[in-house]
Amino acid sequence: QIDYTGTDPSSPCNKCLNVSWDSTPPCTCTINFTLEHSFESNVFMYYGLSNFYQNHRRYVKSRDDSQLNGDNSSLLNPSKECEPYRTNEDKPIAPCGAIANSMFNDTLELYRIENNTRTPIPLIKKGIAWWTDKNVKFRNPTGDGNNLTALFQGTTKPINWPKPVYMLDSEPDNNGFINEDFIVWMRTAALPTFRKLYRLIERKNNLQPTLQAGTYSLDITYNYPVHSFDGRKRMILSTISWMGGKNPFLGIAYITVGSICFFLGVVLLIIHHKYGNRNTSADIPN
């Protein structure tokens, strides 16, 4: 995990700490780090946020699923649940709501440093969203042709976004409402400290690890402000084994529930042993 919030004065990202949504030009910083061990299989690159409450009731409701599913009438007349991010300058916002308005928009690039030479690590941006989200829940508006600029005509971008939704990507199958970065963000987190999948690093062959042990650098285009609410940002590299990913939650939950059941079993056994052999006859002596 690499924390790049920049609260530490010695951090290269400290100069970007008070960045705003519309900072021009965007603030950039670079953090060097070392991998002590190689990553053998496919690597998952996440961004993590702390003290960000995506589970707030009004925040969770602030979206229009019909609009996100490509309904043309909802595109121009979003749900009132999106207030106050429903319209801007008398134009409907697409996508509307607080969730979309606060979409994470830092750009992360990874490089390997060897002999003072920086080699970029290919980061795959497709395949990071759930299949049901990408193919069922999110759809672009329909109309004549596939020109998204024309299909989104009459709408405006969310207030905090630097560009409209139809300019999120240059590839047609990853643009608009079906952009996978957008889809991942719209699946809200249950806890205030969370991570979301950002990119994939695929293993090229079985002879070399995906990421060799050594020195790397993380180039950050710092757009997302978190200092105002004491939030923190981090980049996480993770991999999986044949047993899956390293997540202690299920193990802790099983041990906790098992311990409670064992304790209650002992208590009930003692109660049964002490009181279970009593004469329960209701006969009244003469």
Side-chain angles (χ1 to χ4, degrees):
Q1 297 192 35
I2 304 297
D3 189 309
Y4 67 92
T5 311
T7 52
D8 188 343
S10 62
S11 171
C13 295
N14 180 256
K15 61 182 180 180
C16 304
L17 190 60
N18 294 314
V19 71
S20 61
W21 291 95
D22 55 354
S23 294
T24 305
C27 187
T28 59
C29 56
T30 300
I31 295 180
N32 295 330
F33 63 95
T34 301
L35 287 182
E36 301 293 340
H37 305 284
S38 298
F39 283 48
E40 298 294 340
S41 59
N42 293 339
V43 178
F44 302 90
M45 186 179 188
Y46 298 86
Y47 61 86
L49 294 176
S50 297
N51 204 34
F52 192 107
Y53 289 81
Q54 272 200 316
N55 56 3
H56 191 282
R57 183 181 61 85
R58 288 189 63 191
Y59 182 90
V60 171
K61 293 174 61 179
S62 187
R63 61 189 293 164
D64 188 342
D65 288 319
S66 295
Q67 185 191 60
L68 298 174
N69 196 240
D71 182 73
N72 288 17
S73 60
S74 297
L75 180 69
L76 299 176
N77 186 26
S79 168
K80 293 182 179 179
E81 295 285 2
C82 288
E83 295 288 1
Y85 302 104
R86 182 172 177 262
T87 60
N88 185 29
E89 297 179 352
D90 296 328
K91 286 187 176 182
I93 294 176
C96 71
I99 307 176
N101 188 65
S102 60
M103 178 180 167
F104 182 84
N105 64 340
D106 283 357
T107 301
L108 307 176
E109 297 176 335
L110 191 62
Y111 295 85
R112 174 169 167 76
I113 303 177
E114 192 172 14
N115 299 326
N116 294 325
T117 301
R118 299 203 329 157
T119 304
I121 304 297
L123 302 177
I124 300 173
K125 59 187 175 181
K126 293 183 180 179
I128 61 174
W130 289 21
W131 186 92
T132 51
D133 287 348
K134 175 76 174 180
N135 297 280
V136 178
K137 294 184 178 180
F138 289 79
R139 284 280 187 272
N140 280 324
T142 56
D144 295 334
N146 295 318
N147 187 346
L148 289 183
T149 304
L151 293 175
F152 282 97
Q153 188 175 8
T155 66
T156 186
K157 67 179 181 64
I159 297 171
N160 288 338
W161 286 25
K163 51 190 176 183
V165 68
Y166 52 82
M167 295 178 63
L168 290 179
D169 200 299
S170 58
E171 300 182 27
D173 61 344
N174 193 43
N175 202 6
F177 290 157
I178 59 173
N179 176 265
E180 296 204 28
D181 285 324
F182 171 67
I183 294 173
V184 169
W185 177 257
M186 293 300 291
R187 181 168 284 277
T188 53
L191 300 173
T193 297
F194 59 87
R195 65 174 66 177
K196 291 180 183 285
L197 188 57
Y198 180 69
R199 293 293 183 265
L200 301 173
I201 306 174
E202 288 188 346
R203 187 173 187 175
K204 294 181 180 179
N205 57 64
N206 295 325
L207 301 177
Q208 293 183 346
T210 308
L211 292 179
Q212 298 179 6
T215 304
Y216 292 81
S217 67
L218 178 67
D219 283 10
I220 303 147
T221 303
Y222 199 113
N223 298 313
Y224 202 71
V226 296
H227 185 56
S228 60
F229 57 87
D230 295 326
R232 301 194 71 85
K233 300 190 290 187
R234 63 196 187 281
M235 183 278 296
I236 302 114
L237 294 176
S238 178
T239 187
I240 59 174
S241 67
W242 63 273
M243 294 182 65
K246 183 180 179 182
N247 189 338
F249 174 78
L250 273 180
I252 294 172
Y254 287 152
I255 291 173
T256 302
V257 174
S259 300
I260 293 173
C261 292
F262 178 78
F263 174 75
L264 291 177
V266 171
V267 171
L268 293 174
L269 179 63
I270 294 173
I271 293 174
H272 176 73
H273 181 74
K274 188 172 182 179
Y275 301 104
N277 294 327
R278 281 189 170 186
N279 187 3
T280 57
S281 175
D283 293 341
I284 300 176
N286 294 328

